Amino acid sequence: MASKPLISFDEIAEDSPFFMDTESLPDWGDVFENENPMQLEIGFGNGKFLIEIAAREPGCNFVGMDFYHKGIRKVITRINKLQMKNTRIVYGDAREKISLLFKDESLDRIYINFPDPWPKKRHYKRRLIKPPFVDLVTRKLISGGEVHIATDNESYALEILDFFEAEAQLKNKLGAGVFRGDRVDLPRSKYENNFINAGDKIYYLDFVKIS
């Protein structure tokens, strides 16, 4: 039996006002029809975290960014059903898209939940979070803006900690070298629940832009 053809992003954009596939800076005030604070989730997976936090904070605008086609289609379907007017989905690699889509000092919060750890040493170079990326997200945060990260991979967690603490404009909210032990004030992603149920340790990092 022939497989069902995939829906193109052009078709998704036509059918849903919540999907954006753009290569230029949007006027986010026009997109959301308000000037509410902006928050970004990088790599939203099945969308559980993004949808829950957007529902919890209707006074904020949320952008979810991912390059996994199947996941994007599923999340768009859920957002369409819920008519979540404070949420937009963007396709693309965060390392390229963030510079295009957001002005400096325009984001209140950035969430990065369980980025691919690429655990084999020869693949470390593929990891998302490197010093140039830390510089990028720092520039996009407002003064007092925050970045929240979660990973279950210890070596990646230590690497991320080093990279973020080396950025002069960022401060570890719990103190130098300290990971957060739990995160009860934010929704849990699908992966987070899986790791917790399996008894795995999760490393949480919270940083704030101080200037």
Side-chain angles (χ1 to χ4, degrees):
M1 189 170 89
S3 60
K4 185 178 180 180
L6 296 178
I7 299 173
S8 72
F9 282 151
D10 285 342
E11 290 174 294
I12 294 174
E14 288 179 6
D15 292 339
S16 173
F18 307 114
F19 177 74
M20 300 177 64
D21 187 13
T22 178
E23 297 295 331
S24 60
L25 177 68
D27 184 329
W28 290 110
D30 283 349
V31 170
F32 287 107
E33 299 182 347
N34 62 58
E35 298 296 333
N36 292 341
M38 291 274 295
Q39 302 190 30
L40 169 68
E41 184 183 8
I42 299 168
F44 51 75
N46 76 341
K48 181 180 182 299
F49 177 95
L50 178 65
I51 289 172
E52 287 188 24
I53 198 167
R56 182 186 296 186
E57 300 185 28
C60 291
N61 297 326
F62 291 84
V63 177
M65 185 178 294
D66 209 316
F67 52 75
Y68 180 45
H69 288 228
K70 187 176 180 180
I72 288 174
R73 289 193 295 272
K74 287 183 176 180
V75 173
I76 284 293
T77 298
R78 293 181 64 193
I79 291 174
N80 280 339
K81 288 180 179 179
L82 296 169
Q83 285 294 295
M84 301 190 71
K85 299 185 183 300
N86 67 331
T87 309
R88 296 295 184 276
I89 297 300
V90 174
Y91 166 76
D93 187 326
R95 287 165 289 200
E96 301 168 0
K97 282 282 185 154
I98 288 176
S99 292
L100 293 172
L101 300 185
F102 302 103
K103 295 179 180 179
D104 288 354
E105 300 183 351
S106 63
L107 293 171
D108 279 55
R109 287 192 175 188
I110 297 173
Y111 306 97
I112 310 173
N113 293 311
F114 302 95
D116 194 332
W118 293 102
K120 294 182 179 179
K121 194 168 184 179
R122 68 178 182 271
H123 293 154
Y124 279 10
K125 62 185 178 181
R126 300 183 186 179
R127 288 176 168 177
L128 171 67
I129 300 175
K130 296 289 185 183
F133 184 77
V134 176
D135 175 71
L136 174 63
V137 298
T138 302
R139 286 189 283 108
K140 300 307 173 183
L141 284 172
I142 65 170
S143 180
E146 298 178 356
V147 56
H148 301 274
I149 305 165
T151 178
D152 68 310
N153 185 284
E154 183 179 13
S155 72
Y156 198 12
L158 293 170
E159 187 176 80
I160 293 169
L161 181 69
D162 286 343
F163 291 154
F164 272 85
E165 291 195 337
E167 170 53 60
Q169 292 189 74
L170 295 176
K171 179 182 178 182
N172 188 331
K173 293 183 69 177
L174 293 182
V178 180
F179 292 100
R180 189 172 176 180
D182 197 1
R183 198 167 72 174
V184 296
D185 56 328
L186 293 175
R188 287 180 175 172
S189 71
K190 174 185 176 181
Y191 285 116
E192 187 172 3
N193 280 329
N194 290 345
F195 292 133
I196 290 172
N197 292 336
D200 296 335
K201 181 175 180 179
I202 299 176
Y203 300 85
Y204 299 103
L205 302 96
D206 296 333
F207 284 85
V208 59
K209 185 173 179 179
I210 57 177
S211 63

